[in-house]
Amino acid sequence: QKQQFPNLDGLPIADVILKCWTGRYLSAMEVVNELLILQTGSSKPKKDEAKTFIIMCALLLLVTLHFRRISQR
């Protein structure tokens, strides 16, 4: 079965989303760590970076859930 995914060009976390869709992470923690590194350059964010990180995680979750709903039709 050929996997078809929406175009993610221009999204700063496109690689992370695509890896989620294609099952290339072994755990949710891997996703979190990669997002932290993309956002902060480190796997330990500063307090002022936490809000942005939470927004990025929420965006990733929403996009992934939306794609799953579309692909199940």
Side-chain angles (χ1 to χ4, degrees), residues 48-66:
D48 60 336
E49 297 167 329
K51 184 177 181 180
T52 303
F53 175 70
I54 290 168
I55 292 168
M56 285 178 58
C57 287
L59 175 62
L60 176 62
L61 176 62
L62 289 173
V63 169
T64 301
L65 291 173
H66 179 71

Side-chain angles (χ1 to χ4, degrees), residues 3-9 11 13-25 31 59-71:
Q3 294 181 327
Q4 295 180 331
F5 303 108
N7 186 333
L8 302 175
D9 290 347
L11 290 178
I13 59 171
D15 288 339
V16 176
I17 294 169
L18 189 59
K19 286 180 185 178
C20 284
W21 290 346
T22 57
R24 294 182 9 209
Y25 290 110
V31 178
L59 175 62
L60 176 62
L61 176 62
L62 289 173
V63 169
T64 301
L65 291 173
H66 179 71
F67 175 74
R68 283 187 181 174
R69 183 180 304 151
I70 289 172
S71 66

Side-chain angles (χ1 to χ4, degrees), residues 28-43:
M29 197 61 186
E30 287 183 12
V31 178
V32 169
N33 284 335
E34 187 157 346
L35 288 171
L36 277 170
I37 292 167
L38 284 173
Q39 177 64 29
T40 67
S42 168
S43 61

